[in-house]
Amino acid sequence: MRLDRALSLAGYSRSEARAMIARGRVCVGDAAARSAGMDVRPEDVRLDGESLDYETEVYLMMNKPAGVVTATEDKSLPTVVSLLPERYQRRRLGPVGRLDRDVTGLVLLTTDGQLAHRLISPKWKAEKRYRATCEGTLTDGDVRAFADGVALSDFTARPAGMEILAAGETSVADVTLTEGKFHQVKRMFAAIGHPLISLQRLQIGCVELDETLAPGAFRRLTAAEIEGLRRMTDLFEGERT
Ligand code: URA
């Protein structure tokens, strides 16, 4: 197949392909590509040293920094998608659910709309674990309040897990929810009299935030992580063991 055809299958127009080849960004095997018309096997093509994503779905995790919006675009602020390199931006990845601008930690981004939908749908009850730092001393009574379901002005939250990690003038706890309404964790802590100081998401279902990722960094999910997410949302079509 022609090299520009292979690049177009990965989302690049013919003129973009020519410009990338001219700048030496495209290799075929170990050698720099010579022309847009050269004959290639798509699996041998590399752009900036990486193989191209053709039609397969892409699954990433990002360690979202504070100040970044969980959206594909925003008029004035950086978004989780704008932090990705161009080759991922053109794959039209979308974030799975939202974190508030000041909340940090695990965000999944994928082209797989069906999986994304199920991970945020209350029906599949995907667990999300957060590390919360709040004002005041958390007690066993607060753990019970979360387990019973905190009453908010417009709804009662589903029972949630709370594990207190430190309790003093400020406290730290891991909380686990199976729903994700607007500002939910902040509202639940405010409702039990412990306003949040900071919030970080650590886990979605079986996928934990990779601690080696600096704020703003991302990596592809492993095959095991993708399979785990697909199993928990009844989308796994491989061999059942
Ligand atoms: N709960 C919140 O209050 N904010 C988030 O971003 C996520 C959960």
Side-chain angles (χ1 to χ4, degrees):
M1 150 185 330
R2 283 174 59 103
L3 175 56
D4 52 6
R5 170 82 182 126
L7 287 163
S8 82
L9 290 177
Y12 297 91
S13 68
R14 280 179 193 251
S15 60
E16 286 172 323
R18 276 197 301 275
M20 293 188 305
I21 293 164
R23 287 199 199 102
R25 293 175 60 192
V26 182
C27 286
V28 179
D30 291 333
R34 296 181 312 278
S35 76
M38 69 186 284
D39 192 34
V40 299
R41 291 186 315 166
E43 61 271 28
D44 293 339
V45 180
R46 306 260 180 288
L47 173 61
D48 297 332
E50 294 209 24
S51 353
L52 295 175
D53 288 314
Y54 292 102
E55 291 307 312
T56 55
E57 304 282 14
V58 180
Y59 303 85
L60 305 178
M61 74 158 76
M62 177 180 284
N63 183 4
K64 176 189 162 318
V68 171
V69 183
T70 313
T72 49
E73 52 190 17
D74 189 88
K75 285 203 181 77
S76 50
L77 293 164
T79 68
V80 285
V81 171
S82 73
L83 299 184
L84 294 173
E86 180 204 343
R87 67 181 183 283
Y88 287 118
Q89 292 191 24
R90 66 175 51 246
R91 289 301 313 270
R92 302 193 175 283
L93 288 149
V96 176
R98 279 171 191 275
L99 288 182
D100 296 336
R101 200 202 306 176
D102 58 340
V103 174
T104 61
L106 178 63
V107 172
L108 300 179
L109 295 125
T110 183
T111 51
D112 183 345
Q114 193 180 28
L115 177 69
H117 172 74
R118 292 194 182 191
L119 287 173
I120 57 175
S121 161
K123 185 172 160 197
W124 270 273
K125 297 194 175 132
E127 287 193 343
K128 282 107 189 167
R129 183 164 61 92
Y130 298 85
R131 172 105 4 121
T133 304
C134 66
E135 293 178 14
T137 308
L138 288 172
T139 65
D140 289 346
D142 298 313
V143 175
R144 280 195 297 276
F146 267 44
D148 289 345
V150 176
L152 301 170
S153 57
D154 47 346
F155 74 104
T156 297
R158 282 184 184 166
M162 179 195 283
E163 182 188 356
I164 300 174
L165 304 176
E169 224 168 274
T170 62
S171 299
V172 181
D174 276 0
V175 296
T176 306
L177 271 64
T178 58
E179 60 189 347
K181 301 214 170 76
F182 189 58
H183 293 333
Q184 183 158 344
V185 179
K186 290 176 183 164
R187 293 182 66 198
M188 287 168 68
F189 274 83
I192 60 166
H194 295 283
L196 272 192
I197 298 168
S198 67
L199 188 63
Q200 179 191 27
R201 185 156 64 194
L202 298 177
Q203 191 167 352
I204 298 175
C206 56
V207 176
E208 289 189 57
L209 177 64
D210 184 333
E211 288 177 0
T212 66
L213 290 177
F218 72 94
R219 71 156 168 81
R220 282 177 175 257
L221 295 192
T222 63
E225 287 168 334
I226 297 166
E227 183 183 320
L229 292 174
R230 295 184 69 80
R231 274 185 194 279
M232 61 180 272
T233 51
D234 296 335
L235 289 171
F236 185 65
E237 285 157 7
E239 291 287 311
R240 286 185 192 271
T241 50

